[in-house]
Amino acid sequence: MAHDPGDDDRTVEALVATALRGVPESSEAWEAIYALRRRDGEEVLTAGSVLLRSAHPRERARGADILAQLEQPSGVRSRAADRMLPLLLEEQDAQVLHALILGLGHLGDSRVPRAIEPLRDHSSARVRGAVLLSLLKSPGEEPLPALLGFLDDPDEGVRGLALAHLRTLPPEVDTPGLRDLLVRRMDDVSPALRAEAVLLLALRRDSRTLEPLRKVLRRSRVRLEFVEAAGALGEPSLLPALRALEGQRQDDLPFTRLLAQAITALEALA
């Protein structure tokens, strides 16, 4: 039975035991962690710190999860970071590093970007992905420099994470270096990432997307990203290819809506 974190009468010891039980990402475990952050911060800080020094990686990771959620009393978040930051230098387990880095990013401590910088090239994709997410959360960090270093990551998931966050930035966020990285991603092994790269470049009106778009718009099945990219590029010569798609996939509302918007945008320029 689920507990309301705001009205949970379990002891800190019982909540920690629940957080350690079962699947790490279970809702029951995280309800216990969220309940812990509403308790006496000193007692929870002590309990989480004990877990950080456990011989078991699962317990060390959970300790990081618990400390990252602390809110009270004043200054407890900085003290939680004090306990977690030194462990980055000695921890070997990728699961624990992942939890430490994400937790430190959640704490928003100004020391985090420099501390996690050496882990950008860690052998674990999970760790590298955590570094990216924590850098994006760090106060005072510009998102684009953080993202650029991960667009060429060897892992498809990390590259996809960087592209997904780049999508949240306005097209005005633009540099030649970014465009060159996106051009490389247009040859990505992943069809989804190739499409995302084309769209991000088209949103920046990069003419290198024109010929790839001419080709993909002739396919029997066209991805949504390519339709949106055609409208964003602002090249009226793509209108015939878009109009040829009208009448297809009538039951696919996102596709028909984007197609209509792209055609309207290019017709206004023709």
Side-chain angles (χ1 to χ4, degrees):
M1 178 176 153
H3 290 262
D4 180 355
D7 185 24
D8 198 313
D9 58 0
R10 288 176 288 176
T11 65
V12 166
E13 183 179 357
L15 288 169
V16 169
T18 301
L20 289 169
R21 189 167 55 236
V23 180
E25 294 307 314
S26 71
S27 59
E28 182 184 25
W30 277 97
E31 283 170 5
I33 292 171
Y34 294 144
L36 282 166
R37 74 182 177 191
R38 292 175 169 81
R39 296 306 172 85
D40 180 343
E42 297 298 334
E43 188 178 358
V44 178
L45 180 67
T46 299
S49 299
V50 169
L51 289 177
L52 285 180
R53 292 298 180 180
S54 169
H56 305 288
R58 178 190 175 103
E59 293 185 358
R60 296 199 299 277
R62 192 93 292 179
D65 294 336
I66 290 169
L67 293 188
Q69 295 296 324
L70 288 177
E71 296 176 346
Q72 298 295 332
S74 174
V76 74
R77 292 168 70 81
S78 178
R79 291 164 60 204
D82 290 342
R83 286 158 173 74
M84 293 165 68
L85 282 165
L87 302 182
L88 294 174
L89 300 174
E90 59 189 65
E91 183 58 62
Q92 299 297 312
D93 188 276
Q95 174 194 359
V96 182
L97 279 172
H98 177 262
L100 282 168
I101 294 166
L102 287 182
L104 285 164
H106 188 73
L107 288 171
D109 193 285
S110 61
R111 296 169 290 177
V112 171
R114 180 177 293 182
I116 64 177
E117 183 68 28
L119 297 166
R120 274 178 174 266
D121 299 318
H122 194 274
S123 59
S124 166
R126 288 194 75 204
V127 171
R128 297 195 303 275
V131 170
L132 171 56
L133 291 173
S134 286
L135 288 174
L136 291 172
K137 285 185 176 181
S138 296
E141 288 290 304
E142 290 294 326
L144 185 59
L147 291 168
L148 289 179
F150 295 90
L151 287 172
D152 270 343
D153 193 273
D155 182 77
E156 179 181 328
V158 177
R159 296 195 305 276
L161 190 63
L163 285 169
H165 281 274
L166 184 58
R167 182 79 180 273
T168 68
L169 302 181
E172 292 74 26
V173 176
D174 191 11
T175 68
L178 168 60
R179 291 189 182 211
D180 289 344
L181 283 167
L182 290 174
V183 168
R184 288 209 289 275
R185 293 281 62 79
M186 288 201 302
D187 292 324
D188 200 281
V189 295
S190 162
L193 299 193
R194 290 199 300 268
E196 191 70 20
V198 169
L199 173 56
L200 288 166
L201 271 172
L203 288 167
R204 288 160 176 80
R205 297 294 180 95
D206 193 298
S207 61
R208 287 172 286 186
T209 60
L210 181 56
E211 289 309 313
L213 281 172
R214 289 194 200 281
K215 292 178 182 177
V216 297
L217 291 175
R218 291 197 293 265
R219 292 177 181 170
S220 58
R221 188 79 176 177
V222 179
R223 296 182 68 102
L224 284 173
E225 293 92 340
F226 294 135
V227 173
E228 185 177 353
L233 185 59
E235 176 50 65
S237 65
L238 293 174
L239 263 174
L242 288 175
R243 286 175 176 148
L245 297 174
E246 290 185 293
Q248 298 183 19
R249 294 160 65 174
Q250 289 295 309
D251 58 340
D252 187 340
L253 290 180
F255 178 84
T256 56
R257 187 180 301 114
L258 272 178
L259 179 60
Q261 291 171 352
I263 289 173
T264 299
L266 295 189
E267 285 177 339
L269 298 172

